[in-house]
Amino acid sequence: MSNFDLSPEQQSLIELARDFGEKEMRPHVEHFDQTGEYPWPIIKKAHELGLMNTHIAPEYGGLGLSVLDGCLIAEELSSYCSGMYTALEANGLAQAPLIVAGNDEQKKQFLAPMTLEPMMAAYGVTEPHAGSDVQGIKTTAKKVGDDYVINGSKMWITNASVASWYFVLAYTNKELGFKGMTGFIVPASTPGIEVGKKEKNLGQRCSDTRGLVFTDVKIPSKYRLGAEGDGFKIAMKAFDHTRPPVAAGAVGVAKAAMNHAMKYATERKTFGVPIAKHQAVSFMIAEMAMNIEAARLLVWKSAHEIDQGRRNTKFAAMAKAFAADMCNKVCTDAVQVFGGYGYSTEYPVEKLYRDSKIFQIYEGTSQIQRLIISKEIFERNA
Ligand SMILES: Cc1cc2nc3c(=O)[nH]c(=O)nc-3n(C[C@H](O)[C@H](O)[C@H](O)COP(=O)(O)OP(=O)(O)OC[C@H]3O[C@@H](n4cnc5c(N)ncnc54)[C@H](O)[C@@H]3O)c2cc1C
């Protein structure tokens, strides 16, 4: 990417995702938001069309698309329903540790089948008492013969009840701090796993968020990712791949909110003119346009860096924080443009407003992104 022009293939990807959003997602958005049902029919169709698992390498049956390609798809799908998009993206998050650190046998066993049929996976790091502070997790994995026995609880795990397998971070040696953490792939069918109730969330209601309890869950050591002690590094490196598309998802939600606000501002009249003619309103929308564009550029930059094989941690954190904060502001202002109607569930910006909040929380809060950026700047001179 030496300029901002997308290739014809990338343009086609955007059109494919937009067409899918228009035909397969838009008619069902309200239903899934109201019922909180898991959007299986949408996921199955997305899988058929090749809009899922785009980053799995061709040798495992995937398309091997770039992170930037994934971001282009993410922005489109999320602009239709970020709840449905999160269900898809959580698959990408679970797969990322395998892509980063899995061996050939592990990739064949866990990634390849996902390209053949719609299967979900989940990323299990957060615990009831530890989210931002990953070192505070309590889950342990004890080596017993050629197996590991996992005990502990996870919390807020997206796709928990529909996943075929989980990426699980656990301590194999607590005394070593983050260097004593190890990552595992745990098939969901393993005895000893209890899946919690679905959380009733503010937004993105069709996304499946639950707790998991592991009681003497025995898995063979061949399901360990990398070496003992590599887990923290693997879990964090995964975010370098997934924060750009999550940020793109926030751009998609903001874009949808702005489009609704623009349309309404040209239709709604006060004092004899469309409200878009009031500078206070048109400037609100100009701010939206400016910040959406800026966020998109950061998303593309963060994706481009990792696609070139360069460390993108700083840019990924910048894109995630900026896009998430921007999305919240844009959705708040979109409700404002709608006045009283913006507050009603009858109008679309209310859902976007609810959906926007999670972008500042999952995959690292906006505060934690700033912590990462400052560490990258001060300690790594990035
Ligand atoms: C809908 C949803 C889906 C999720 N999906 C997943 C998933 O699939 N897998 C998974 O593992 N996790 C998932 N999470 C968990 C999510 O990543 C955590 O909620 C998030 O990292 C914050 O952790 P916490 O909730 O424990 O908050 P805490 O870490 O307790 O933070 C509370 C507040 O303190 C701030 N804070 C904490 N430490 C600092 C600091 N050092 N400096 C400044 N501010 C700080 C935070 O920014 C936040 O505002 C999900 C969460 C939700 C709500």
Side-chain angles (χ1 to χ4, degrees), residues 54-270:
T54 53
H55 43 286
I56 295 179
E59 56 264 44
Y60 304 107
L63 296 170
L65 295 186
S66 66
V67 175
L68 178 58
D69 294 335
C71 290
L72 302 176
I73 296 173
E75 182 182 325
E76 292 310 316
L77 298 186
S78 192
S79 73
Y80 289 92
C81 178
S82 62
M84 294 177 190
Y85 163 70
T86 288
L88 297 174
E89 169 53 25
N91 243 21
L93 175 61
Q95 291 163 353
L98 246 175
I99 289 172
V100 165
N103 59 34
D104 185 53
E105 194 189 330
Q106 290 168 336
K107 288 178 182 173
K108 276 188 185 137
Q109 183 174 351
F110 294 106
L111 289 182
M114 303 184 90
T115 66
L116 302 175
E117 55 178 313
M119 285 168 66
M120 308 314 279
Y123 176 95
V125 168
T126 305
E127 300 193 358
H129 303 288
S132 306
D133 182 11
V134 175
Q135 282 195 61
I137 65 166
K138 291 183 180 155
T139 298
T140 56
K142 195 172 171 216
K143 190 97 196 280
V144 181
D146 198 32
D147 297 319
Y148 282 93
V149 178
I150 301 178
N151 280 288
S153 309
K154 297 292 174 182
M155 181 71 191
W156 302 115
I157 307 306
T158 306
N159 281 346
S161 79
V162 291
S164 298
W165 54 264
Y166 309 110
F167 166 73
V168 175
L169 189 66
Y171 272 110
T172 39
N173 186 344
K174 181 93 185 162
E175 281 162 24
L176 295 177
F178 74 91
K179 289 186 177 162
M181 290 178 169
T182 305
F184 299 92
I185 299 296
V186 180
S189 56
T190 316
I193 302 175
E194 195 187 319
V195 181
K197 67 168 178 48
K198 180 175 156 63
E199 299 295 334
K200 287 185 183 166
N201 292 335
L202 172 71
Q204 300 198 346
R205 289 181 177 166
C206 66
S207 176
D208 180 74
T209 326
R210 297 172 193 255
L212 289 169
V213 178
F214 297 88
T215 310
D216 293 333
V217 173
K218 192 157 86 172
I219 52 158
S221 56
K222 66 178 182 177
Y223 291 169
R224 188 188 69 219
L225 284 183
E228 276 196 16
D230 285 351
F232 182 81
K233 217 167 53 191
I234 293 169
M236 296 304 117
K237 225 171 160 197
F239 288 136
D240 291 347
H241 291 254
T242 59
R243 281 181 182 144
V246 168
V251 172
V253 171
K255 180 169 75 178
M258 183 183 119
N259 287 341
H260 287 301
M262 271 180 73
K263 185 165 180 289
Y264 189 79
T266 54
E267 290 165 0
R268 176 75 172 175
K269 286 186 178 163
T270 65

Side-chain angles (χ1 to χ4, degrees), residues 34-63:
Q34 281 177 7
T35 60
E37 280 169 25
Y38 194 71
W40 267 122
I42 316 291
I43 285 171
K44 284 177 185 159
K45 284 178 186 157
H47 189 273
E48 260 169 48
L49 271 183
L51 288 168
M52 279 177 72
N53 310 314
T54 53
H55 43 286
I56 295 179
E59 56 264 44
Y60 304 107
L63 296 170

